[in-house]
């Protein structure tokens, strides 16, 4: 099976071509960071307009690099995401589905993130993938991004269920809002991580979420409120000198909560493997903390490769294949978007 995937849920125009026997054959991405940077965040109308401009050249570039003659189906993100952006991707999928006379498959963006850690395992040895995948189930994964913080489980029958999620802000949202409070330009998450590298932890006290070990839910709204109060208490001119330490403690509080809640869930559920995915999974401190956690518990750890942590089409293609028995092949003429879709219906 060969799948062309389209991802346009937010501000990345992305294509990927996946072959179940060979792995990922190519990935093509156009980032809009420079477009939205001056506005301090993604502007939906600009994002959808940029997708309209960029997808045709991206497809031409992809077709010049890889043979598309044997594509069996087109997979496209249909939600969650920005409605206008999703609509552009779905329109592209409809057009290609009709032109090539192949099925179009709607893929949940969050499901793509959930399966993204397994892309590298398949790429290493497609022939042994099914056996390896079976050995890793049941699997407990943490999906942590700008809009979602979700602990989920994939059972031995590959059914997916939510173990816990945030009761308010997502971890990535807390990072972005914290960066804005600190006066950092968009995207601020990378800048917080970079600044924290030269800082010391232990100077600033930030909350680490719901303390009850039996409650696996996450909470980050109090974290950014605490940051605001601490910034208001600083003397004039003090922020510049203390910024590295503030970033170090703020980042550490987020990572500590993610790791502690995951550890509590692991102690209760005893999965065969641990996973990490989503845009925040690109954070080095979080990745290293998960490596330490998995080593302590002697659990196999599968993390999304860095290029597959953010929004990307490779995870959409892979999810379409992984979920092929349950995926509905939809006539391109009736494919629709679902901007508020959840990981599990």
């Amino acid at each position: 099976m060969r799948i062309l995937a389209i991802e346009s849920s937010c501000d990345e125009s992305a294509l990927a071509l996946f072959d179940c026997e060979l792995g990922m054959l190519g990935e093509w991405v156009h980032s809009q960071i420079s477009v939205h940077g001056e506005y301090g965040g993604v502007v939906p109308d600009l994002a959808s307009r940029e997708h309209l401009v960029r997808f045709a050249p991206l497809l031409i570039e992809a077709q010049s690099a890889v043979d598309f003659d044997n594509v069996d189906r087109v997979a496209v993100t249909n939600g969650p995401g920005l409605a206008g952006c999703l609509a552009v991707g779905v329109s592209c999928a409809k057009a290609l589905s009709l032109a090539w006379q192949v099925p179009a498959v709607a893929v949940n963006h969050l499901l793509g993130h959930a399966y993204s850690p397994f892309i590298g395992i398949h790429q290493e040895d497609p022939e042994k993938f099914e056996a390896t995948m079976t050995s890793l189930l049941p699997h407990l994964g943490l999906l942590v991004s700008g809009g979602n913080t979700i602990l989920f489980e994939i059972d031995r029958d590959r059914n997916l269920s939510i173990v816990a999620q945030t009761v308010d802000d997502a971890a990535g949202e807390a990072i972005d809002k914290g960066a804005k409070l600190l006066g950092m330009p968009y995207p601020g998450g990378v800048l917080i991580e970079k600044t924290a590298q030269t800082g010391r932890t232990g100077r600033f006290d930030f909350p680490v979420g719901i303390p009850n070990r039996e409650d696996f839910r996450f909470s980050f709204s109090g974290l950014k409120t605490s940051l605001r109060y601490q910034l208001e208490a600083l003397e004039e001119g003090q922020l510049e000198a203390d910024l590295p330490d503030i970033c170090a403690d703020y980042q550490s509080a987020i990572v500590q909560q993610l790791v502690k809640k995951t550890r509590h869930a692991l102690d209760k559920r005893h999965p065969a493997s641990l996973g990490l995915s989503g845009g925040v999974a690109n954070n080095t401190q979080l990745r290293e903390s998960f490596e330490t956690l998995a080593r302590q518990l002697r659990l196999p750890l599968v993390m999304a490769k860095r290029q597959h942590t953010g929004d990307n089409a490779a995870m959409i293609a892979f999810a379409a294949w992984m979920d092929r028995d349950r995926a509905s092949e939809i006539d391109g003429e009736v494919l629709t978007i679902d901007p508020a879709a959840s990981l599990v219906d």
Side-chain angles (χ1 to χ4, degrees), residues 16-327:
L17 187 63
F18 171 77
D19 189 300
C20 67
E21 295 182 353
L22 301 174
M24 214 59 66
L25 301 180
E27 300 179 51
W28 302 268
V29 182
H30 173 76
S31 174
Q32 300 181 14
I33 288 178
S34 61
V35 175
H36 302 283
E38 62 180 294
Y39 300 100
V42 176
V43 181
D45 286 349
L46 288 179
S48 56
R49 217 174 302 162
E50 192 74 3
H51 287 310
L52 282 170
V53 172
R54 297 295 176 177
F55 264 118
L58 208 59
L59 183 60
I60 292 171
E61 178 187 343
Q63 287 181 305
S64 68
V66 181
D67 182 8
F68 277 28
D69 290 343
N70 298 319
V71 171
D72 297 298
R73 64 184 61 185
V74 178
V76 61
T77 303
N78 75 324
L82 299 174
C85 296
L86 292 168
V88 175
V90 166
S91 296
C92 290
K94 287 181 179 181
L96 293 174
S97 171
L98 294 171
W100 295 344
Q101 294 296 293
V102 297
V105 180
V107 177
N108 184 300
H109 179 81
L110 300 178
L111 186 67
H113 277 306
Y115 281 129
S116 62
F118 302 101
I119 296 174
I121 294 175
H122 180 276
Q123 199 78 15
E124 288 177 7
D125 195 337
E127 290 185 1
K128 294 181 179 179
F129 175 74
E130 288 298 329
T132 303
M133 183 72 190
T134 299
S135 72
L136 295 173
L137 300 178
H139 169 81
L140 183 74
L142 176 66
L143 192 172
V144 55
S145 66
N148 298 272
T149 302
I150 305 172
L151 267 175
F152 64 91
E153 185 176 69
I154 305 174
D155 67 18
R156 289 187 176 86
D157 295 322
R158 302 194 185 181
N159 297 310
L160 193 145
S161 60
I162 292 176
V163 175
Q165 52 191 326
T166 182
V167 298
D168 40 55
D169 292 347
E173 186 179 0
I175 293 172
D176 291 340
K177 289 180 177 178
K180 196 167 185 177
L181 285 171
L182 292 167
M184 293 178 170
Y186 172 84
V190 175
L191 294 176
I192 283 185
E193 180 178 5
K194 183 177 180 181
T195 307
Q197 291 174 356
T198 60
R200 299 168 296 164
T201 57
R203 285 194 60 206
F204 295 89
D205 185 27
F206 292 109
V208 290
I210 302 169
N212 186 354
R213 283 182 58 91
E214 303 303 315
D215 190 340
F216 304 150
R217 295 176 303 165
F218 302 92
S219 175
F220 295 98
S221 63
L223 180 63
K224 68 177 188 296
T225 302
S226 175
L227 174 62
R228 179 165 60 84
Y229 287 151
Q230 298 208 42
L231 290 178
E232 290 173 354
L234 292 178
E235 296 179 3
E236 187 175 350
Q238 190 178 349
L239 176 59
E240 184 177 354
D242 287 345
L243 186 60
D245 293 348
I246 292 172
C247 288
D249 276 324
Y250 191 77
Q251 176 180 259
S252 179
I254 292 172
V255 171
Q256 282 183 55
Q257 182 178 168
L258 293 171
V259 173
K260 283 182 178 180
K261 291 297 181 181
T262 302
R263 173 63 187 262
H264 297 164
L266 288 168
D267 290 342
K268 285 287 185 179
R269 304 185 80 88
H270 308 293
S273 65
L274 173 63
L276 180 64
S277 60
V280 181
N282 194 43
N283 181 279
T284 298
Q285 184 181 350
L286 180 59
R287 294 177 80 88
E288 291 177 349
S289 296
F290 261 62
E291 288 172 350
T292 300
L293 177 61
R295 188 165 54 250
Q296 290 173 344
L297 298 179
R298 299 181 180 179
L299 270 178
L301 173 64
V302 286
M303 294 191 290
K305 291 185 176 181
R306 289 185 183 273
Q307 72 261 35
H308 297 147
T309 53
D311 297 343
N312 65 92
M315 70 181 190
I316 303 304
F318 193 71
W321 177 66
M322 287 290 290
D323 208 41
R324 58 195 177 278
D325 293 336
R326 285 184 287 264

